[in-house]
């Protein structure tokens, strides 16, 4: 979604790049949020973010319709961030359910109950930080560093293990990548 003058500017800037297919749903009302990153000479930084435009059921229908029309089965789909700009905090579940037949390889970057509920759709990849992972598993997860020289993630033959994330890059078909909401 892209809104107002700010949204139009984003679309225009991205349209200058010939290798980017610009597929926003544009709405003239409101404005796409603006975020500010303040960097200090010390290396510290602060992020100031505005709340996004409140999305309607029609907006979610438009997003899922656009994804349905412009994607292929097994494409990559990224769902990321806070979903508080929709009346149902589990909007990612709604999107995943509507598009279940596409069998997307979903990259999921969210937290809390949204992350917990989206797990049932077996995302291709999740990106929890330690706090989010602790919440997900119901106990504190401490940062752990692998022993030096350990073959973490390799099988006995030294081949990388991909576990629940797929059958390995050599067996994956070509994919296109899309970012939702």
């Amino acid at each position: 979604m892209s809104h107002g003058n700010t949204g139009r500017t984003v679309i225009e800037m991205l349209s200058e790049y010939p290798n980017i297919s610009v597929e926003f749903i544009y709405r003239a009302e409101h404005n796409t949020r603006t975020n500010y990153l303040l960097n200090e000479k010390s290396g510290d930084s602060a992020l100031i973010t505005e709340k996004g435009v409140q999305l309607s059921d029609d907006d979610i229908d438009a997003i899922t319709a656009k994804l349905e029309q412009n994607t292929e089965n097994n494409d990559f789909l990224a769902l990321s961030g806070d979903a508080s700009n929709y009346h149902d905090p589990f909007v990612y579940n709604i999107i995943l359910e509507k598009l279940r037949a596409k069998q997307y390889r979903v990259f999921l970057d969210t937290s809390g109950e949204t992350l917990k509920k989206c797990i049932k759709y077996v995302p291709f990849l999740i990106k929890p930080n330690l706090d989010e992972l602790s919440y997900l598993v119901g106990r504190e997860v401490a940062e752990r560093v692998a022993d030096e020289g350990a073959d973490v993630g390799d099988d006995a033959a030294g081949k990388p293990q991909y576990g629940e994330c797929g059958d390995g890059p050599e067996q994956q078909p070509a994919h296109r990548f899309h970012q939702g909401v």
Side-chain angles (χ1 to χ4, degrees), residues 92-174:
Y92 293 156
N93 298 77
I94 294 167
I95 292 169
L96 291 173
E97 187 61 40
K98 285 183 176 191
L99 299 170
R100 182 173 247 172
K102 286 285 195 172
Q103 300 177 333
Y104 289 123
R105 296 189 184 264
V106 176
F107 290 79
L108 185 62
D109 182 9
T110 191
S111 61
E113 284 300 308
T114 301
L115 174 59
K116 221 175 220 186
K117 285 191 172 211
C118 282
I119 292 296
K120 79 176 193 174
Y121 293 95
V122 190
F124 182 74
L125 177 105
I126 61 172
K127 192 218 62 76
N129 60 34
L130 288 176
D131 290 335
E132 293 162 346
L133 185 58
S134 295
Y135 181 81
L136 186 62
V137 300
R139 64 179 176 80
E140 186 173 342
V141 177
E143 190 168 354
R144 187 179 78 128
V145 178
D147 294 335
E148 191 172 318
D151 292 326
V152 176
D154 292 349
D155 69 5
K159 294 181 182 173
Q161 294 298 295
Y162 297 94
E164 297 298 317
C165 292
D167 297 311
E170 68 281 352
Q171 298 174 14
Q172 298 297 327

Side-chain angles (χ1 to χ4, degrees), residues 27-45:
R27 302 277 196 258
E29 67 278 356
H30 308 293
N31 249 324
T32 295
R33 73 183 187 154
T34 304
N35 298 317
Y36 301 92
L37 178 62
L38 307 175
N39 292 310
E40 296 182 24
K41 289 180 183 177
S42 67
D44 291 335
S45 62

Side-chain angles (χ1 to χ4, degrees), residues 63-84:
I63 291 168
T64 55
K66 185 167 276 287
L67 286 168
E68 187 91 61
Q69 294 165 5
N70 295 303
T71 61
E72 297 175 13
N73 289 354
N74 295 311
D75 277 355
F76 291 106
L77 175 67
L79 297 174
S80 61
D82 173 28
S84 65

